[in-house]
Amino acid sequence: MYHFTALVTLLAIAFYFFTCINVSRSRTKTGIKVPAMSGHPDFERAFRIQMNTLEWMPIFLPALWLFAVYIGDAAAAGLGVVWIIGRVVYFIGYSKAAAKRGPGFAIQGIAAIALWAGAIGAVVLRLV
């Protein structure tokens, strides 16, 4: 069973849901009306945090699950937690200033690459 990976998946989705709520709150706070996508730097940063998280989900989630299946549940979940921590660091930094998004981006990027590389390595090893 993949209980730890399932829990990390649910936490990642919960974090993404949080970023959606944050965009809505930012719209209210800054007065940016739907369907506008720009107009205030605070809103634009909140929106980019949400969109960047969404952009990484199709990279992260399949790699997470394939890593769990081919390598192990606990190891996948551990790297998944690192990815979520990276997204939180990204959120905090980018919320303050675009220039502060780098450390969180690096953390989550390294975790995602580790999951993908581990999964593809394990799959290829089983093919040969």
Side-chain angles (χ1 to χ4, degrees), residues 2-122:
Y2 303 98
H3 300 302
F4 294 124
T5 301
L7 181 59
V8 168
T9 299
L10 294 169
L11 290 173
I13 292 167
F15 178 74
Y16 177 69
F17 184 66
F18 167 77
T19 67
C20 295
I21 291 169
N22 188 58
V23 169
S24 180
R25 285 193 324 231
S26 184
R27 277 190 184 282
T28 301
K29 181 180 171 187
T30 60
I32 304 295
K33 305 285 186 218
V34 173
M37 302 306 292
S38 63
H40 193 285
D42 291 346
F43 169 76
E44 291 171 10
R45 286 193 311 275
F47 180 70
R48 281 306 310 147
I49 292 166
Q50 178 200 6
M51 287 293 94
N52 189 263
T53 302
L54 179 62
E55 291 160 3
W56 275 87
M57 295 290 267
I59 297 167
F60 166 69
L61 289 173
L64 173 73
W65 278 94
L66 289 168
F67 191 103
V69 168
Y70 283 92
I71 295 176
D73 181 41
L79 285 169
V81 167
V82 172
W83 186 85
I84 293 169
I85 290 168
R87 294 311 310 176
V88 170
V89 171
Y90 180 85
F91 175 90
I92 292 167
Y94 206 169
S95 292
K96 294 175 183 174
K100 294 184 178 187
R101 72 190 189 282
F105 188 85
I107 293 166
Q108 66 90 41
I110 290 167
I113 290 167
L115 288 165
W116 181 85
I120 198 166

